[in-house]
Amino acid sequence: MSTYVIADDLSGAAEAAAVLAGLDAGIAQNAQAGSVSLELISSGHTAPPALPALAGPATATVVDSGNRHLTAPEAAARMRLLLAARPAGSDVFLKFDSLLRGNLDAELAAALETGPVAFCPALPHLGRTVRNGVLEIKGTPLHLSTLWQAEPTEPGHSLAAHLPDTSPAVVPLGTVRGGELAGVLSGLASEGQLAVCDAETEDDLDMIAAAALSQGVVLAGASSLAAALRRSRVTPSNVSPASLPYVKDCPVLFILGTASPSLRAQLAELELTGIPVHRVQPADIPSFDPGCEGPTAIVVEGAVDPSRSDAIVKSLAELARRSQAGRHLVLSGGETARAVLDALGISTLHPIAQAHPGAVVSVTGDGRLVATRPGSFGDRHSLTQILTTMQALVATKPGKVSL
């Protein structure tokens, strides 16, 4: 059984691809290289996306729809088009941001037009849980946290507040754990309602995945729910060792376009490895030249006005195009990552490693490594862990294989 994933941004798509490939922290421990394909749909707003070739032997095809920053009607139209391209007989998973950013309401409403959907954005390993239909971050409701500080709007007080057009019905934790979840999901499906499920643990997500699959309900949520979907489909007998692809030996360029407050400590750790870090003001990005061909990091300095974030991301993408010179890439923040890869004409990635949960290292067809990570992920060692993982992949120097 293959899985077809539609994700609304690149870092989320990479997360989903990594868990569906069975990549734990480390280098290609359980995945067959090339078994998961990550396709980047054209991000143009006016024309329909060019759909990837979805048929083939892949365990999973993960599509980055580019929907995060479209208008709601555009995102809904693209979701309908991508769902219509679902490979026959495949499971469908809809990957959304665990902090509820993006066009959730419009996209889930479009998905409900094609059949029942169960939604749960819980990410237990980061302390992101759902209780009584409210997303909490280590016990603090999202709307009382600071994790939407770079967004132009305020978060809703509940999942239902983010989903007014889907007729959501909260499935409480007692029901998730009570043995009757499949019947409850079936009843909500018959009424055309979106099931919004509580979850605090990976076991809760496993029960949601199993119940949804038994009733033909499409799963939607964060990467932890994708992992539960994989666990429900994979047994030890069909997990094969990895065959790593060819990887070039070249330096690394970090392009960091995140407003995460944890980034300062991560950069300090990176500088201890000897990699120069260039802190650039937004106005200076168009003319900035890192001035070297070795490993280097470029980060936007200072607070970013959300109203100017699109322009800054475009400037960073152009800077990457000027400066990358065949380097491996580390890209933090899904919007930044997608803009950079679009600028470089990279449209397909194959995940082969995970430096830490959410920090996914993929390879391009020409042997270049691309690491992506959501801006809100990782402790102070995140960037150095990514660097170490990429260096190990280069040092391995495996023989070239066909992807």
Side-chain angles (χ1 to χ4, degrees), residues 4 33 48 75 91 117-118 156 162 174 207 259 267 298 376 396 401-402:
Y4 177 48
D91 292 324
V117 180
H162 285 262
M207 287 185 279
L267 290 170
I298 300 169
S376 62
T396 302
V401 298
S402 174

Side-chain angles (χ1 to χ4, degrees), residues 7 19 27 36 45 49 71-72 79 94 107 148 151 178 183 191 198 212 227 240 282 298 376 378 388:
V19 299
I27 300 174
V36 175
H45 292 193
T71 66
M79 174 62 78
L94 307 179
E107 294 193 68
W148 265 50
E151 301 302 309
E191 298 171 6
D198 282 359
S240 57
I298 300 169
S376 62
T388 298

Side-chain angles (χ1 to χ4, degrees), residues 319-340:
L319 173 59
R321 190 192 64 77
R322 297 194 311 268
S323 307
Q324 52 88 23
R327 292 177 170 106
H328 301 307
L329 299 169
V330 177
L331 308 171
S332 182
E335 185 180 4
T336 298
R338 180 58 194 269
V340 168

Side-chain angles (χ1 to χ4, degrees), residues 258-285:
T258 175
S260 169
S262 62
L263 184 59
R264 184 172 299 175
Q266 295 171 0
L267 290 170
E269 292 288 330
L270 186 64
E271 286 179 301
L272 291 176
T273 70
I275 291 182
V277 175
H278 302 276
R279 296 167 174 83
V280 185
Q281 294 293 325
D284 297 331
I285 297 173

Side-chain angles (χ1 to χ4, degrees), residues 8 72-73 75-76 79-80 96 100-113 119 159-168 194:
D8 70 347
M79 174 62 78
R80 294 185 187 99
F96 293 105
L100 310 182
R101 294 169 295 191
N103 290 297
L104 275 74
D105 192 34
E107 294 193 68
L108 286 170
L112 279 169
E113 295 170 6
F119 176 58
L159 296 186
H162 285 262
L163 303 168
D165 293 333
T166 62
S167 301
L194 175 72

